């Protein structure tokens, strides 16, 4: 399976096509990008949930978002083992690359869901990934994706 | 098991072991008794470490003496069934055999292997690599000790150690009292390692492979114990074992950590990797020559700790990982390079600053000429003149003398901190290759670009988190010496680094155990946590975690390179750095450093010792029962912080098999194998009522065995969750719940979603949160509660039933104080093991 490198429009299409998706918010996200991710989730409506990994549960709650605290490893484990209704797309944003590389490798090889990496660099083990870009370009891309899913 | 009358005529020809009036045929308690008859007999009869008569009568005694991994499959199988491995494959391609490269992502390989099995083989190989490094280390020390002192040399464990060589006893059935005993134990580990490596390319079952990876972990801890015993008993490393309790809070001596502790005008000899014997010899030489005030003996990593235990004037220059920081700054005049934890390009790096290299291990000879047989002056002259950049010397004493002599010469007129100016950043075009290469995800290019504009602050901030691997430099097209720039920007910080630390003191002593045993056993101490590892990017992280856990009344230990990192953390309340802020005790409000990575074994023995102290579990050849007890009862856990090395992989496997769950820091995601429980799957969470044999649904405790996290706050919270045990006493459950809730609320501004799974009775809820918890149980989880009085009227079982507290205690979890086990043979009565008492009604009649 080859990773599909997506641009803003491509990412929007992937997000729109998903039936049920979970956005995993990684520990590296700071304030304004966190707001953008919240906006993205809101734009996707009821089909999207937010999983606050790392320490992001607290800032999200301060923003009025009641995102459940999640442990990334447990989310991965659920995708492998849970019998319940699982998301068909996991979206990752704000992760350390050495964390996300491992997570994506597990999901790619042993889980049935698709993955989308909305990070500043390309992730080979994701089904869909943004490509390398500067922090500013990334910030802008996320904003445009958040706006794109609403239109 | 057959019990015999001691004088039964029919069995006169069958060797028996006898305790009190109870005898057991020794051939019945081991798989193959041939050649180990006397060991088995002693393992049962030994008055200190053997079997109490009552215990011998109660459970099915089965010993594992010199076991292979397969012999411990009952326990390993249970663990791996409950915590199945989750893999992050390095690659889906397999290139391990001569049939060629196979892509395992969709189909099996030419040899029939699938991707999971390939991952499990990699897991076993990683564990073997780690075990081999520790075994090799122990063997080198032991061989030298055997040459010097002979096999009969007695090993003193110290007057305050009642249980010697615990890691070893569990597997060999024999305490180590002489160097010969140590040799026998290490030979066993070596044989096992060979077997495990052979299996790594043949075994085809994931669980069998992971069981073997566990076994490699156990051998790692065993070898670490041998290494520590030899270091302490034969080479003079300080140990708490002979100290009185009143001495321990200030034991051992402080040493200084940091470049700021050095006089840069004086010669510096830096020991890197495992160069232990040479280090000891160098200190002896410096002392004998009256050079203590002139020559500065320094160590990074293991040597910074071990030498510190031997010589109070040792300067610890941090973790092994960051040796480049010291080298690039030109601090050492000579580096003595052993094996393990040494960058492969250390010789090239040393040449850059004209630092002489003395290699002392044939496993890390770096292509250098073997000068072991040359005259000392000849070797020294070659190094001083620069004719040779480095030499290999396999004679510790000669290597030590060469290193000191050369350092004295080279230090004259040698400048330190000769680093390039910020103008070297001018070539940066901001391509970002360094960002992509950085294993710690640092934003390097932005800092270099800032330097290009004359601002050094960003580079100075990079210094705090940098691993000093120099990958950024190796990918830089403009050939910018980024690491040197970082150091240049942070010169003032480096010069200011001067902290006190305790270099390690070996085992916790018996006196400390006795002092805290009841608090620990009954739960007023939340748990015992060891923080170990190879050193972090940001040194403050580990210190922060230690501080938080001590504050939360955990017993906290450390070992390995992180022990040096901890020194730099400043406790704002106590107004002291950590080693000065807390007493060096295994007590509440104490924190102790056991030593270098071989001292991970002291952590394991601290865990096991409590089992023996509290439950009087037999120690000899009885690994499974100890692991069963630790997982079911004892609140112990390990945090591994910093980059993932093979040694830590093996250590994690060893601790996990022992029943002590492991939290891996963010770099632990590179371990590529985790052991995660599935809390949702109720079928996985059971234990045997130890009296009736009834299989009971229990709380998912601990929920995971090896789990990676992303932040230090997650690590702290997770470890408080992983110390829950199905057999917690009331106070223990209360204090753990309080710790878990406290961290969760503080770090994540929310309440633990799974807390209701660990509520067994309202009396166990922390007083300060009780009413809130009761309210949430009622409103969110559907329990029938009396909010006003803070009572649980009916608890909601996971199957949906609302049960009275009595019914709930019967159908969920182990009754407080009741013996429980995960192994059928450890159910206390034979009738119960046969299932005859498993019915609840019968149980009530019986008890």
């Amino acid at each position: 399976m080859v990773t599909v490198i997506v641009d803003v429009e491509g990412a929007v299409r992937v997000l729109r096509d998903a039936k049920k998706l979970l956005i995993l918010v990684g520990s590296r996200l700071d304030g304004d990008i966190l707001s953008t991710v919240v906006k993205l989730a809101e734009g996707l409506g009821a089909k999207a949930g937010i999983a606050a990994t790392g320490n992001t549960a607290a800032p999200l709650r301060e923003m009025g978002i009641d995102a459940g605290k999640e442990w990334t490893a447990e989310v991965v484990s659920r995708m492998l083992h849970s019998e319940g209704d699982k998301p068909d797309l996991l979206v990752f944003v704000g992760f350390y690359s050495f964390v996300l590389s491992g997570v994506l490798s597990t999901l790619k090889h042993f889980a049935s869901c698709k993955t989308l990496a909305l990070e500043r660099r390309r992730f080979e083990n994701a089904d869909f990934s943004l490509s390398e870009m500067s922090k500013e370009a990334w910030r802008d891309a996320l904003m445009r994706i958040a706006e794109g899913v609403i239109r | 098991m057959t019990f015999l009358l001691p004088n039964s005529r029919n069995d006169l020809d069958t060797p028996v072991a006898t305790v009190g009036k109870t005898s057991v045929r020794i051939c019945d308690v081991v798989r193959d008794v041939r050649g180990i008859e006397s060991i088995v007999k002693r393992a049962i009869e030994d008055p200190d470490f053997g079997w109490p008569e009552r215990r011998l009568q109660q459970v099915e005694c089965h010993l594992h003496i010199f076991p292979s991994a397969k012999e411990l499959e009952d326990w390993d199988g249970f663990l791996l069934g409950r915590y199945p491995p989750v893999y992050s494959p390095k690659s889906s391609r397999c290139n391990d055999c001569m049939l060629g490269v196979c892509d395992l992502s969709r189909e099996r390989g030419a040899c029939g292997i699938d991707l999971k099995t390939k991952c499990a083989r990699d897991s076993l190989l990683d564990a073997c690599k780690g075990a081999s490094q520790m075994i090799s280390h122990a063997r080198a020390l032991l061989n030298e000790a055997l040459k010097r002192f002979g096999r009969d040399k007695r090993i003193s464990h110290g007057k305050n150690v009642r249980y010697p060589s615990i890691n070893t006893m569990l597997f060999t059935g024999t305490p180590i009292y002489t160097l010969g005993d140590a040799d026998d134990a290490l030979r066993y580990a070596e044989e096992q390692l060979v077997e495990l490596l052979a299996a790594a390319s043949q075994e085809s079952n994931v669980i069998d492979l992971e069981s073997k990876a566990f076994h490699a972990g156990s051998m790692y801890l065993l070898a670490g114990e041998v290494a520590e015993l030899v270091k302490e008993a034969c080479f003079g490393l300080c140990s708490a074992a002979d100290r009185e309790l009143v001495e321990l809070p200030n034991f051992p001596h402080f040493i200084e950590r940091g470049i700021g502790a050095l006089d840069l005008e004086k010669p510096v000899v830096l020991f890197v990797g495992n160069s232990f014997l040479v280090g000891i010899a160098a200190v002896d030489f410096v002392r004998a020559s009256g050079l203590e005030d002139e020559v500065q003996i320094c160590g990074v990593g293991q040597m910074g700790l071990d030498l510190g235990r031997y010589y109070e004037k040792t300067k610890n220059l941090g973790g092994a990982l960051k040796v480049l920081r010291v080298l690039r700054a030109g601090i050492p005049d000579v580096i003595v390079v052993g094996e393990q934890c040494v960058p492969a390009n250390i010789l090239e790096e040393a040449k850059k600053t004209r630092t002489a290299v003395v290699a002392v291990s044939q496993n890390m000879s770096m292509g250098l000429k073997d000068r072991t047989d040359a005259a000392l002056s000849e070797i020294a002259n070659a190094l001083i003149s620069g004719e040779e950049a480095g030499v290999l010397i396999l004679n510790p004493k000669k290597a030590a003398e060469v290193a000191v002599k050369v350092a004295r010469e080279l230090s004259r007129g040698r400048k330190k901190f000769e680093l390039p100016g910020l103008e070297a950043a001018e070539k940066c075009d901001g391509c970002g290759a360094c960002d992509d290469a950085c294993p710690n995800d640092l934003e390097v290019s932005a800092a270099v670009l800032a330097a290009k504009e004359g601002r050094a602050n960003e580079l100075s901030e990079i210094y705090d988190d940098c691993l000093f691997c120099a990958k950024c430099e190796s990918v830089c097209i403009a050939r910018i010496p980024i690491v040197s720039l970082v150091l240049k920007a942070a010169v003032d910080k480096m010069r200011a680094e001067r902290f006190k630390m305790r270099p390690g003191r070996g085992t916790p002593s018996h006196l400390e155990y006795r002092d805290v045993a009841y608090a620990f056993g009954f739960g007023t101490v939340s748990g015992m946590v060891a923080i170990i590892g190879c050193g972090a990017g940001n040194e403050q992280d580990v210190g922060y975690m230690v501080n938080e856990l001590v504050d939360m009344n955990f017993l906290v230990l450390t070992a390995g390179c992180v022990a040096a990192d901890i020194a730099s953390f400043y406790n704002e309340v106590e107004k002291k750095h950590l080693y000065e802020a807390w007493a060096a005790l295994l007590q509440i409000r104490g924190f102790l450093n056991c030593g270098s990575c071989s001292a991970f074994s002291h952590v394991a023995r601290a865990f096991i010792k409590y089992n023996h102290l509290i439950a009087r579990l037999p120690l000899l050849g009885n690994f499974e029962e100890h692991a069963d007890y630790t997982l079911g009862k004892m609140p112990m856990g390990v945090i591994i912080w910093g980059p993932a090395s093979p040694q830590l992989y093996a250590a994690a496997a060893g601790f996990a098999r022992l029943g002590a769950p492991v939290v891996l820091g963010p770099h632990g995601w590179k371990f590529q194998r985790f052991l995660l429980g599935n809390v949702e799957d109720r079928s996985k969470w059971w234990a045997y009522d130890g009296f009736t044999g009834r299989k009971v649904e229990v709380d998912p405790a601990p929920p995971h065995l090896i789990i990676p996290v992303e932040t230090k706050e997650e690590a702290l919270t997770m470890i408080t969750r992983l110390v829950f045990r199905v057999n917690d006493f009331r106070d223990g459950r209360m204090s753990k719940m309080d710790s878990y809730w406290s961290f969760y609320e503080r770090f994540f501004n929310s309440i633990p979603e799974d807390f209701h799974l660990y509520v067994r009775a309202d009396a166990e809820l922390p007083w300060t949160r009780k009413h809130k918890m009761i309210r949430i149980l009622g409103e969110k989880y559907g329990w029938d509660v009396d909010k006003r009085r803070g009572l649980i009227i009916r608890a909601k079982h996971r199957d949906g039933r609302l049960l009275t507290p009595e019914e709930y205690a019967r159908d969920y979890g182990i009754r407080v104080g009741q013996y429980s086990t995960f192994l059928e043979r450890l159910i206390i009565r034979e009738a119960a093991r046969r299932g005859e008492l498993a019915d609840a009604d019968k149980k009530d009649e019986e008890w």
Side-chain angles (χ1 to χ4, degrees):
Chain A
M1 186 187 66
V2 179
T3 304
V4 177
I5 303 302
V6 292
D7 55 11
V8 168
E9 288 71 30
V12 169
R13 267 197 305 279
V14 172
L15 289 163
R16 279 185 177 160
D17 289 349
K19 293 185 179 68
K20 181 178 178 184
L21 57 90
L22 183 64
I23 302 171
L24 284 93
V25 182
S27 56
R28 299 190 85 192
L29 281 198
D30 56 21
D32 60 333
I33 300 186
L34 208 49
S35 306
T36 307
V37 173
V38 170
K39 191 175 166 188
L40 169 66
E42 288 171 348
L44 289 163
K47 72 175 184 177
I50 293 182
T53 77
N55 300 351
T56 56
L60 280 168
R61 287 177 80 86
E62 282 164 17
M63 293 164 64
I65 306 299
D66 192 12
K69 160 68 191 152
E70 293 274 11
W71 310 83
T72 303
E74 289 191 347
V75 175
V76 171
S77 178
R78 278 206 299 277
M79 296 307 294
L80 303 184
H81 302 301
S82 175
E83 302 290 324
D85 183 23
K86 292 185 282 196
D88 60 329
L89 178 70
L90 292 189
V91 183
F92 295 89
V93 56
F95 282 81
Y96 284 104
S97 62
F98 47 87
V99 172
L100 190 49
S101 298
V103 170
L104 291 171
S105 173
T106 304
L107 294 169
K108 172 183 173 177
H109 293 108
F110 303 115
S112 56
C113 64
K114 297 287 183 191
T115 54
L116 167 62
L118 295 180
E119 302 285 359
R120 282 176 55 196
R121 59 176 71 172
R122 169 183 174 152
F123 281 88
E124 296 290 346
N125 285 322
D127 293 286
F128 308 99
S129 171
L130 295 178
S131 194
E132 281 76 10
M133 62 183 85
S134 69
K135 198 167 185 178
E136 290 66 34
W138 178 55
R139 201 183 299 260
D140 180 59
L142 288 179
M143 183 62 79
R144 288 196 290 136
I145 292 169
E147 287 164 356
V149 296
I150 300 171
R151 283 199 295 273
Chain B
M1 187 174 60
T2 305
F3 291 93
L4 304 171
L5 289 173
N7 296 317
S8 168
R9 292 187 63 81
N10 292 336
D11 296 280
L12 277 177
D13 55 344
T14 306
V16 295
T18 303
V19 182
K21 294 177 180 174
T22 303
S23 295
V24 59
R25 277 198 303 248
I26 62 170
C27 59
D28 288 339
V29 300
V30 290
R31 179 177 284 179
D32 184 354
V33 77
R34 290 174 299 172
I36 55 170
E37 293 89 345
S38 60
I39 296 175
V40 177
K41 187 171 164 61
R42 179 182 170 178
I44 294 170
E45 294 179 346
D46 189 290
D48 294 324
F49 315 128
W51 286 67
E53 184 176 11
R54 184 78 176 130
R55 188 73 179 160
L56 197 58
Q57 293 167 351
Q58 286 172 332
V59 303
E60 187 183 319
C61 170
H62 194 85
L63 303 179
H64 299 101
I65 292 175
F66 299 117
S68 65
K70 199 66 186 165
E71 283 183 64
L72 295 165
E73 71 176 356
D74 280 358
W75 177 248
D76 293 347
F78 163 73
L79 281 184
L80 293 164
R82 190 191 244 202
Y83 308 102
V86 170
Y87 295 109
S88 303
K90 294 171 197 167
S91 162
S92 59
R93 295 159 77 84
C94 180
N95 194 16
D96 289 351
C97 76
M98 288 179 287
L99 295 173
V101 182
C102 295
D103 184 351
L104 306 178
S105 58
R106 292 190 183 159
E107 55 208 26
R108 288 175 182 272
C111 68
I113 197 174
D114 64 11
L115 185 56
K116 267 194 183 169
T117 312
K118 161 72 175 148
C119 291
R121 284 186 179 180
D122 287 344
S123 170
L124 173 55
L125 273 175
D126 285 345
C128 284
K129 280 181 207 165
S132 70
Q133 288 174 10
M134 188 54 73
I135 291 171
S136 165
H137 173 45
R139 174 51 70 191
L141 293 171
L142 184 56
N143 280 351
E144 182 66 22
L146 284 166
K147 282 178 193 166
R148 289 192 197 182
F149 309 108
R151 282 181 67 85
D152 295 334
K153 155 87 175 169
R154 297 286 296 176
I155 289 181
S156 165
H157 293 279
K159 64 184 179 186
N160 291 324
V161 171
R162 300 268 176 87
Y163 314 120
S165 60
I166 292 178
N167 292 287
T168 310
M169 287 154 76
L170 289 182
F171 287 92
T172 66
T174 309
I176 293 176
Y177 288 124
T178 65
L179 283 182
D181 295 335
D183 191 32
D184 293 343
L186 199 58
R187 274 182 204 282
Y188 159 66
E190 289 161 345
E191 286 169 13
Q192 291 304 300
L193 182 64
V194 171
E195 292 295 322
L196 295 171
L197 276 169
S201 57
Q202 302 177 68
E203 183 61 76
S204 60
N205 178 276
V206 169
I207 299 301
D208 281 332
L209 281 159
E210 289 297 352
S211 166
K212 289 175 169 66
F214 275 159
H215 201 52
S218 297
M219 294 305 105
Y220 175 90
L221 293 173
L222 186 157
E225 185 166 78
V226 170
E228 282 289 304
L229 283 176
V230 174
K231 285 180 198 174
E232 291 168 7
C234 300
F235 297 111
L237 257 61
C238 69
S239 166
D242 259 329
R243 302 288 166 156
E244 299 301 335
L245 191 56
V246 291
E247 297 177 75
L248 292 179
N250 292 309
F251 182 82
H253 49 266
F254 282 119
I255 62 168
E256 287 190 301
R257 209 224 94 179
I259 289 168
L262 292 174
D263 181 343
L264 297 178
E265 302 298 318
K266 292 182 178 176
V268 173
V269 182
L270 177 67
F271 289 84
V272 185
N274 169 25
S275 42
F276 178 84
L277 292 169
V278 187
I280 297 294
V283 171
D284 290 345
F285 178 68
V286 164
R287 279 176 170 154
S289 310
L291 296 172
E292 288 176 85
D293 291 331
E294 181 192 335
V295 177
Q296 298 172 101
I297 300 291
C298 308
V300 293
Q302 170 187 344
M303 292 308 293
L305 297 161
D306 280 349
L307 283 179
R309 289 174 68 184
Y310 187 70
Y311 181 51
E312 294 186 24
K313 291 189 173 181
T314 299
K315 309 294 183 192
N316 184 309
L317 299 186
L321 194 69
K322 297 186 179 179
V323 64
L324 190 57
R325 168 174 67 174
V326 187
L327 264 183
R328 277 287 174 91
I331 302 297
D333 301 298
V334 174
I335 52 170
V336 179
V337 181
E339 60 178 312
Q340 301 168 23
C341 312
V342 179
N345 62 345
I346 196 164
L347 181 60
E348 289 166 42
E349 285 292 340
K351 284 177 185 171
K352 289 178 186 170
T353 48
R354 181 73 178 84
T355 304
V357 175
V358 178
V360 295
S361 166
Q362 55 194 357
N363 293 344
M364 184 64 186
S365 49
M366 299 177 283
L368 295 170
K369 283 183 188 166
D370 185 346
R371 295 293 197 187
T372 308
D373 299 322
L376 196 149
S377 57
E378 185 188 325
I379 307 169
N381 288 339
L383 289 170
I384 293 163
S385 66
E387 183 187 331
E388 292 188 46
V391 292
L392 174 69
I393 307 175
L394 297 175
N395 176 326
K397 194 162 176 283
K398 184 182 277 184
E401 291 184 26
V402 166
V404 172
K405 187 176 166 98
V406 172
R408 293 181 75 195
E409 290 297 324
L410 286 182
S411 69
R412 292 188 190 133
R414 189 161 179 271
K415 289 184 180 168
K416 321 263 169 166
F417 287 112
E418 279 205 320
L419 295 161
L422 294 185
E423 62 277 5
E426 279 172 12
K427 290 181 282 181
C428 179
D429 64 358
C431 73
C434 48
D435 297 337
D436 294 342
C438 179
N440 212 19
D441 270 7
L442 301 178
E443 294 181 6
V444 184
S445 64
V448 178
L449 284 172
K452 188 177 175 179
E453 292 166 10
R455 299 195 313 273
N457 272 357
E458 284 88 338
L459 279 176
S460 177
E461 283 168 20
I462 292 272
Y463 174 85
D464 297 332
D465 294 307
C466 185
L467 298 172
F468 295 95
C469 66
K471 261 182 97 175
C472 49
E473 284 185 6
S474 66
V475 298
C476 179
I477 299 167
R479 302 269 177 215
I480 299 170
I482 300 171
V483 170
S484 299
L485 282 178
V486 169
L487 293 174
K488 178 74 176 179
V491 163
D492 291 342
K493 274 188 192 175
M494 287 177 82
R495 286 183 184 275
E497 285 173 358
R498 186 173 192 174
F499 318 108
K500 283 184 179 174
M501 68 170 289
R502 298 190 193 279
R505 46 98 121 182
T507 185
S509 85
H510 190 67
L511 303 168
E512 291 164 287
Y513 289 113
R514 296 307 297 230
D515 221 30
V516 81
Y518 278 98
F520 192 65
F522 288 97
T524 46
V525 174
S526 292
M528 191 194 308
V529 174
I531 302 182
I532 63 174
C534 293
N538 191 322
E539 296 179 354
Q540 297 294 296
D541 288 352
V542 273
Y544 173 85
M545 288 190 287
V546 168
N547 207 45
E548 290 292 333
L549 287 168
V550 171
D551 245 356
M552 198 64 90
N553 285 346
F554 278 80
L555 304 179
V556 185
L557 306 91
T558 188
C561 288
V562 293
D565 291 350
I566 288 166
S568 66
F569 188 84
Y570 189 71
N571 181 317
E572 294 289 351
V573 178
E574 303 288 329
K575 302 290 180 203
K576 289 175 182 167
H577 286 96
L578 273 197
Y579 282 98
E580 297 171 276
W582 305 117
L585 281 173
L586 189 67
Q587 299 279 326
I588 293 171
R589 312 296 279 178
F591 142 65
L592 72 88
N593 173 17
C594 295
S596 64
C597 41
S598 50
F600 296 166
S601 60
H602 289 305
V603 172
R605 69 194 276 178
F607 291 173
I608 301 161
K609 188 165 177 170
Y610 268 108
N611 298 344
H612 187 72
L613 199 63
I614 290 169
R616 190 61 178 89
L617 297 185
L619 278 165
L620 302 170
N622 198 28
F623 174 81
E624 280 190 344
E625 192 173 2
H626 278 270
D628 176 68
Y629 196 77
T630 307
L631 189 76
K633 174 82 178 165
M634 303 306 283
M636 295 147 171
V638 177
I639 297 175
I640 292 181
W641 207 255
S645 68
Q647 287 211 44
L648 287 175
Y649 195 90
F655 283 117
R657 191 193 212 187
L658 188 54
V662 178
V663 175
L664 305 172
H667 284 283
W669 287 86
K670 296 171 191 163
F671 267 15
Q672 296 166 334
R673 188 270 277 123
F674 315 108
L675 302 176
L676 306 175
N678 179 1
V679 173
E680 291 174 15
D681 183 354
R682 288 171 50 213
S683 71
K684 301 279 188 187
W685 306 101
W686 56 266
Y688 292 113
D689 179 315
F691 290 105
T692 67
R694 196 167 65 104
K695 205 170 180 178
V696 187
E697 180 172 352
V698 295
D699 21 8
H704 307 291
L705 205 52
I706 299 181
I707 182 168
V709 298
E710 293 172 67
T711 64
K712 58 185 184 299
E713 291 81 7
E714 277 198 337
L716 284 169
T717 312
M718 181 57 79
I719 202 71
T720 60
R721 187 177 171 213
L722 296 189
V723 294
F724 280 98
R725 294 293 187 269
V726 295
N727 218 329
D728 282 336
F729 283 118
R730 188 196 70 163
D731 290 2
R733 180 58 62 94
M734 193 188 292
S735 66
K736 290 170 195 180
M737 187 73 88
D738 195 45
S739 306
Y740 180 36
W741 190 291
S742 294
F743 280 148
Y744 208 104
E745 207 166 39
R746 191 171 130 208
F747 298 140
F748 312 128
N749 192 18
S750 49
I751 60 159
E753 294 284 332
D754 61 347
F755 89 93
H756 62 293
L757 298 176
Y758 303 100
V759 176
R760 302 179 301 188
D762 47 34
E764 295 182 346
L765 300 178
W767 301 322
T768 53
R769 310 178 194 280
K770 187 170 184 178
H771 279 76
K772 184 175 183 181
M773 286 176 154
I774 290 281
R775 179 175 55 77
I776 294 169
L777 284 171
E779 293 172 359
K780 187 168 181 180
Y781 298 105
W783 293 39
D784 185 3
V785 297
D786 182 335
K787 289 187 222 172
R788 193 178 57 81
R789 291 192 297 160
L791 297 175
I792 295 170
I793 309 298
R794 287 188 302 165
K796 193 165 186 179
H797 193 279
R798 293 187 76 183
D799 64 12
R801 287 178 296 156
L802 278 168
L803 304 173
T804 64
E806 292 74 25
E807 291 167 335
Y808 193 61
R810 186 195 62 207
D811 284 3
Y812 187 73
I814 298 298
R815 281 180 193 273
V816 173
Q818 185 97 330
Y819 168 69
S820 70
T821 177
F822 303 109
L823 293 174
E824 198 172 310
R825 72 176 176 83
L826 296 177
I827 296 167
I828 275 185
R829 291 185 305 164
E830 201 175 350
R833 288 198 289 279
R834 290 197 303 266
E836 292 170 10
L837 301 178
D839 181 84
D841 297 335
K842 279 187 184 171
K843 185 203 76 172
D844 289 343
E845 286 167 20
E846 285 288 323
W847 299 92

